[in-house]
């Protein structure tokens, strides 16, 4: 595929963990050499860190790549129950999501779709930082794997999505709970110990406020991650951090990261346990002249938030694009990614013999 130059400013959006699934990007892995070679390289670097080949979890037997099947083969799912549980463990999920998002970004760049800016949600900020040159790829992979290991050593907790703005939520929090993320004007995420979350959930339900419990065993972006953040800052002393070459938005500040922040180990410690300022970051993105949002990863969570953001220009312009479909449309990744590339100004040229 060859992509013509595009006058608009494409902003890559990298989601965090949550919408990943076994088989995501399988069609791209089977048909696109750039994607496949990048995944293979990441798997080789990660294997000594994880003690296993991440591809056996990402693409187990039965993971579909043909369109129309939509889900994993049921028999294979039953045979591989251990692998399916494993994909949701932090120590596996985070390196796996990083790998797929980075490989997809490299594929898009090879087609001529290059980012003018980037926004990553939680773990996604590491993909943005790596593409920007803050971390080398191999260092980023090792760092993401070791960061995930640190997270798993923290006490168990949970997260609760709350249908309220951050100020209203903050007024209802006690010392055991943290405002983990602000995703929109009327949508926030709270994290902390499960008993404290249950008390808050009961109070909010009685008040008629909608809530949704997140399927996680950790209290990400909360005070419970602070000890891991301290250890992460120490760990980062062994890595070389560079100044960003491509601008990206900071989870911590909600605006463009500075070179000083990007190279400061303490910044990445705060990024682990402070509030994700997603709503503010999306607002900054829409202030870019000619911004076009492109979600680079599975699902459309960030794209949906971008599309609904009040700072987005009226009239449905500029557009918001997705790439790898969610789990319900597994097997449609090749068609979906190519269609997005075409929409972004691509001139599609499928060579004979390519799927």
């Amino acid at each position: 595929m060859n992509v013509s130059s595009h006058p608009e400013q494409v902003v890559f959006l990298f989601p965090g963990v949550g919408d990943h699934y076994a088989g995501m990007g399988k069609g791209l892995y089977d048909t696109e050499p750039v994607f496949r070679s990048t995944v293979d390289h990441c798997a080789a670097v990660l294997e000594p860190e994880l003690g296993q080949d991440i591809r056996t979890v990402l693409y187990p037997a039965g993971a579909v790549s043909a369109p129309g099947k939509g889900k994993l083969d049921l028999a294979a799912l039953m045979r591989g129950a251990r692998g399916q549980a494993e994909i949701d463990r932090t120590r596996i999920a985070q390196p796996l999501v990083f790998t797929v998002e980075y490989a997809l970004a490299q594929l898009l760049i090879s087609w001529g779709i290059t980012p003018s800016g980037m926004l990553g949600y939680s773990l996604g900020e590491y993909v943005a930082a790596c593409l920007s040159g803050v971390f080398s790829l191999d260092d980023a992979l090792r760092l993401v794997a070791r960061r995930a290991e640190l997270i798993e050593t923290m006490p168990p907790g949970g997260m609760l999505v709350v249908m309220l703005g951050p100020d209203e939520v903050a007024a209802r929090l006690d010392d055991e709970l943290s405002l983990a993320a602000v995703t929109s004007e009327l949508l926030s995420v709270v994290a902390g110990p499960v008993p404290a979350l249950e008390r808050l959930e009961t109070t909010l339900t009685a008040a008629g406020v909608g809530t949704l419990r997140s399927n996680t065993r950790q209290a990400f972006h909360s005070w419970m991650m602070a000890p891991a953040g301290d250890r992460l800052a120490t760990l980062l002393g062994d890595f070389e951090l560079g100044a960003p070459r491509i601008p990206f938005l900071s989870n911590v500040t909600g605006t463009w990261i500075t070179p000083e922040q990007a190279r400061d180990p303490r910044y990445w410690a705060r990024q682990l346990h402070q509030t994700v300022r997603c709503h503010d970051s999306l607002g900054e993105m829409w202030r870019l002249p000619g911004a076009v949002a492109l979600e680079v990863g599975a699902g459309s969570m960030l794209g949906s938030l971008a599309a609904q953001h009040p700072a987005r220009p009226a009239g449905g312009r500029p557009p918001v694009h997705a790439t790898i479909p969610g789990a319900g449309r597994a097997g449609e990744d090749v068609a979906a990614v190519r269609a997005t590339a075409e929409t972004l100004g691509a001139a599609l040229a499928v060579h004979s013999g390519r799927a």
Side-chain angles (χ1 to χ4, degrees):
M1 177 181 289
N2 298 315
V3 175
S4 60
S5 61
H6 204 280
E8 296 173 309
Q9 297 198 71
V10 177
V11 179
F12 283 6
L13 308 181
F14 296 107
V17 172
D19 288 335
H20 63 289
Y21 56 93
M24 64 176 176
K26 181 63 163 58
L28 296 172
Y29 186 80
D30 289 341
T31 62
E32 295 293 344
V34 170
F35 186 89
R36 183 186 187 100
S37 64
T38 305
V39 170
D40 288 348
H41 176 84
C42 291
V45 174
L46 286 168
E47 187 165 5
E49 299 289 333
L50 304 177
Q52 66 185 108
D53 187 333
I54 203 168
R55 291 168 297 187
T56 63
V57 182
L58 179 57
Y59 301 130
V64 301
S65 59
K69 293 187 179 180
K71 297 181 180 179
L72 296 178
D73 176 79
L74 182 58
L77 178 63
M78 296 302 291
R79 291 193 302 270
R82 177 179 175 272
Q84 290 306 294
E86 199 168 24
I87 199 171
D88 291 322
R89 285 192 60 188
T90 298
R91 67 177 297 272
I92 297 296
Q94 294 201 354
L96 182 149
V97 168
F98 179 98
T99 294
V100 170
E101 292 181 3
Y102 184 86
L104 180 55
Q106 290 300 318
L107 177 62
L108 294 167
I109 290 169
S110 75
W111 288 345
I113 302 173
T114 58
S116 297
M118 296 178 286
L119 187 164
Y121 186 99
S122 191
L123 173 72
E125 188 172 358
Y126 278 79
V127 187
C130 181
L131 280 173
S132 185
V134 175
F135 309 113
S136 70
L137 174 58
D138 289 5
D139 278 354
L141 289 164
R142 296 185 183 102
L143 181 59
V144 165
R146 295 172 193 178
R147 175 181 181 269
E149 291 278 7
L150 286 175
I151 290 171
E152 284 207 343
T153 67
M154 295 297 101
M159 304 184 79
L160 183 71
V161 179
V162 180
M163 311 303 178
L164 287 176
D167 292 340
E168 291 179 280
V169 169
R172 291 168 164 82
L173 301 184
D174 58 26
D175 291 342
E176 291 189 89
L177 296 172
S178 297
L179 180 63
V182 180
T183 55
S184 79
E185 291 179 311
L186 297 174
L187 192 66
S188 305
V189 183
V190 176
V194 172
L197 286 173
E198 290 175 341
R199 290 195 299 270
L200 177 65
E201 186 176 22
T202 299
T203 300
L204 291 172
T205 300
V209 176
T211 63
L212 178 66
R213 188 76 64 88
S214 176
N215 184 26
T216 178
R217 297 179 180 178
Q218 301 287 345
F220 297 102
H221 300 287
S222 78
W223 65 270
M224 295 181 71
M225 289 291 133
D230 293 339
R231 292 160 64 183
L232 179 64
T234 300
L235 176 64
L236 275 159
D238 296 330
F239 291 84
E240 182 176 350
L241 281 65
R245 294 191 296 268
I246 305 171
F248 65 94
L249 287 149
S250 160
N251 281 195
V252 175
T253 66
T255 189
W256 301 100
I257 198 165
T258 67
E260 294 76 20
Q261 289 168 337
R263 301 180 70 173
D264 184 356
R266 293 169 297 180
Y267 169 82
W268 296 100
R270 293 194 298 274
Q271 197 262 6
L272 180 58
H273 65 81
Q274 290 189 3
T275 306
V276 177
R277 301 287 175 185
C278 180
H279 184 68
D280 291 341
S281 293
L282 288 168
E284 288 291 328
M285 178 195 73
W286 285 129
R287 292 184 181 93
L288 285 175
V292 174
L294 174 60
E295 185 149 3
V296 182
S300 57
M301 185 274 286
L302 277 180
S304 296
L305 293 172
Q308 297 167 20
H309 198 283
R312 184 189 185 194
R317 297 287 302 177
V320 176
H321 300 283
T323 50
I324 296 177
R329 293 173 53 209
E332 299 178 21
D333 53 326
V334 173
V337 172
R338 290 184 179 179
T340 292
E342 287 184 301
T343 302
L344 284 169
L348 181 62
V350 180
H351 299 288
S352 176
R354 283 181 72 181

